[in-house]
Amino acid sequence: MCSTVWSLRSLGDLVEVLDHLRVPINSDERAKRLGDVPYYGANGQQGWIDKALFNESLILLTEDGGNFDEFRSRPIAYRINGPAWVNNHAHIVRALFGVDQDFVFWSVVNRDIRRYIAGGTRSKLTQGELRTIELMTPPLPEQRRIAEILDTLDAAIRQTEAVIAKLSQVKQGLLHDLLTRGIDGNGELRRPVEEARELYRETELGWVPREWGVERLADLAEVRSGIAKNSNKAVSNPVWVHYLRVANVQDGYLDLTEMSQIRVSHDDVERYVVLPGDVLMNEGGDLDKLGRGAVWRGQFTPCVHQNHVFVVRCGHRLLSDYLDSWTGSAPARRYFMVAGKQTTNLASINKTALGRLPVAVPGLREQAGIVEALALQQEQVDREQELFGKLRTLKQGLMDDLLTGNVRVDLR
């Protein structure tokens, strides 16, 4: 193992600061100079411009408006290579001779530098403070080896992200096919309507398989409102139960990391209890996510739901997981976009409008086949997401160890 000694050095002794080469330009002027040269700011590329100020490998480190408080999960620096224009919201640095530039990048990208930041209405890292940031620095061969390890791991993370994006895109395409063509008696997708129109009929939702019905959600399920939290209300025969809030119900999943509790009457527990298989949907939120939610699996018992969270309890002709998939379909998304009431920041839908949602209804066996096909595709996404999480955890651990000298690299 390497036995050389690390030293504590200031960033100003490791890099050349090129801020004097920046050229500020306002948005109106830049709009007149569109081109093919990347235009960079505090947190990455901001657009394009017609001329390059730089054409080399550089590190850009946020001057103001950066992710200083979220340094663990979001970068405060990034690397560029090739023609570029950099505005005056990012410091520009280049490693000096005898210093590995990639090592410098990894040393600062997720570093807590808040003690160097000037306060005020907009946090700012001045050039003077930038130069004083202290880094533990090994000899050049070890710098290069550490950067190589972290670059290799980062490439694996980016590749996994790309796989997740591709699999998610495939799942979205499969969702469209399954919810417009369905599955025939052999477990295969029906031929598309363009090839076999006799297998389909035209409805308000467009072409659907002839065997399918089109019905309103209220005719297939019970839409239930939740309980309003009122600390001043007298409660008889009280009990403490878990309480699902809007923050718990996300687009396609439940975030149960923070579960509230509420004191309610025994009668209210029976009235507002959430049962396994219930589909949860938020009353309000971003317009493009309105009506999206997740299926409750009985993670907490007993559990009630907030008045801003709808519970949809499916009847005997509708599977919960099928309904959950249907709310992500193009016809359902169009309905929510029209039925949702838009305010300045959020959209909302009431119980009556939600009950009017049109649903394409295959037979139960076909619904189950659709759900199974989507679940198999989701398993692939989940596996890659699990790998992604492990790689990110490994990367953070290695950064903590390698960039401090706690773990030394073998240079042999």
Side-chain angles (χ1 to χ4, degrees):
M1 294 295 291
C2 181
S3 61
T4 51
V5 177
W6 289 42
S7 59
L8 187 64
R9 301 174 65 183
S10 296
L11 187 59
D13 296 330
L14 301 171
V15 301
E16 180 182 4
V17 181
L18 305 177
D19 289 359
H20 61 286
L21 299 177
R22 299 180 303 189
V23 178
I25 183 173
N26 63 46
S27 57
D28 291 337
E29 181 64 25
R30 182 158 56 90
K32 302 174 184 176
R33 298 182 52 182
L34 292 179
D36 58 1
V37 176
Y39 174 88
Y40 294 101
N43 298 306
Q45 186 175 344
Q46 307 293 308
W48 303 90
I49 199 166
D50 60 353
K51 179 182 178 181
L53 299 178
F54 306 93
N55 190 6
E56 59 181 306
S57 296
L58 297 166
I59 298 171
L60 305 187
L61 204 154
T62 300
E63 178 173 334
D64 57 74
N67 307 313
F68 301 123
D69 291 325
E70 303 167 271
F71 62 92
R72 275 286 186 181
S73 58
R74 302 178 66 188
I76 64 168
Y78 55 99
R79 291 176 286 192
I80 64 171
N81 186 26
W85 184 299
V86 183
N87 69 24
N88 60 335
H89 296 292
H91 294 296
I92 308 166
V93 300
R94 177 174 59 202
L96 295 173
F97 180 77
V99 178
D100 186 82
Q101 184 153 292
D102 293 323
F103 174 83
V104 173
F105 167 75
W106 286 114
S107 295
V108 299
V109 62
N110 293 116
R111 186 179 178 84
D112 183 3
I113 61 168
R114 287 175 293 183
R115 67 189 180 97
Y116 300 96
I117 301 299
T121 56
R122 187 175 174 89
S123 298
K124 182 172 183 176
L125 175 66
T126 67
Q127 186 180 138
E129 290 297 323
L130 167 77
R131 294 178 182 276
T132 66
I133 295 174
E134 294 182 326
L135 304 179
M136 289 295 296
T137 312
L140 183 58
E142 196 167 355
Q143 292 179 36
R144 289 172 174 162
R145 180 62 181 140
I146 290 170
E148 179 185 5
I149 292 170
L150 294 175
D151 278 336
T152 300
L153 188 53
D154 196 53
I157 290 172
R158 290 198 305 273
Q159 183 179 23
T160 305
E161 281 185 302
V163 171
I164 292 171
K166 180 64 176 178
L167 288 174
S168 298
Q169 186 178 31
V170 170
K171 183 188 174 186
Q172 195 60 37
L174 179 62
L175 177 71
H176 174 269
D177 288 343
L178 288 170
L179 295 180
T180 54
R181 296 162 56 187
I183 298 173
D184 64 21
N186 298 317
E188 303 291 335
L189 281 168
R190 291 181 180 83
R191 286 182 294 163
V193 65
E194 296 81 7
E195 298 178 8
R197 184 160 294 191
E198 69 278 5
L199 299 179
Y200 297 85
R201 65 187 183 91
E202 197 167 11
T203 71
E204 63 178 291
L205 298 175
W207 293 92
V208 302
R210 286 193 173 276
E211 300 88 342
W212 292 18
V214 175
E215 300 186 50
R216 302 299 167 187
L217 180 60
D219 296 326
L220 298 163
E222 179 187 5
V223 181
R224 301 166 64 97
S225 298
I227 185 171
K229 194 170 186 178
N230 186 349
S231 59
N232 297 321
K233 180 182 177 182
V235 177
S236 60
N237 194 15
V239 290
W240 283 96
V241 295
H242 290 96
Y243 181 63
L244 276 167
R245 300 165 296 124
V246 168
N248 299 126
V249 183
Q250 301 295 317
D251 183 3
Y253 69 98
L254 298 174
D255 181 357
L256 305 179
T257 53
E258 294 185 12
M259 280 292 289
S260 296
Q261 290 195 339
I262 187 174
R263 185 170 172 265
V264 299
S265 70
H266 188 271
D267 290 343
D268 278 344
V269 174
E270 293 186 0
R271 181 180 178 186
Y272 298 110
V273 68
V274 186
L275 300 178
D278 285 344
V279 182
L280 303 170
M281 299 182 190
N282 283 336
E283 176 189 47
D286 296 333
L287 185 59
D288 64 335
K289 295 181 177 63
L290 201 63
R292 294 293 290 127
V295 179
W296 179 250
R297 308 294 180 186
Q299 294 92 326
F300 295 89
T301 304
C303 184
V304 299
H305 58 111
Q306 185 185 43
N307 59 317
H308 298 299
V309 176
F310 291 118
V311 156
V312 181
R313 190 161 295 164
C314 295
H316 67 280
R317 295 186 294 120
L318 184 64
L319 297 181
S320 299
D321 288 293
Y322 174 81
L323 173 61
D324 187 46
S325 299
W326 175 256
T327 60
S329 69
R333 301 317 310 149
R334 286 195 296 269
Y335 175 81
F336 288 125
M337 293 287 282
V338 173
K341 182 179 179 182
Q342 182 75 53
T343 61
T344 304
N345 298 317
L346 296 173
S348 63
I349 191 167
N350 61 40
K351 179 179 174 180
T352 301
L354 179 58
R356 294 191 184 120
L357 170 71
V359 182
V361 189
L364 289 176
R365 183 176 178 181
E366 191 169 353
Q367 289 182 43
I370 290 171
V371 168
E372 182 181 6
L374 290 170
L376 289 173
Q377 184 65 30
Q378 185 60 44
E379 284 179 8
Q380 297 183 53
V381 177
D382 292 342
R383 283 195 296 269
E384 293 299 325
Q385 288 178 331
E386 182 180 2
L387 174 60
F388 176 73
K390 289 179 178 178
L391 289 173
R392 288 196 62 175
T393 300
L394 175 60
K395 173 185 165 184
Q396 189 59 62
L398 283 176
M399 289 177 69
D400 290 341
D401 289 335
L402 297 180
L403 296 173
T404 58
N406 289 336
V407 173
R408 306 297 293 274
V409 297
D410 193 341
L411 299 178
R412 291 176 297 180

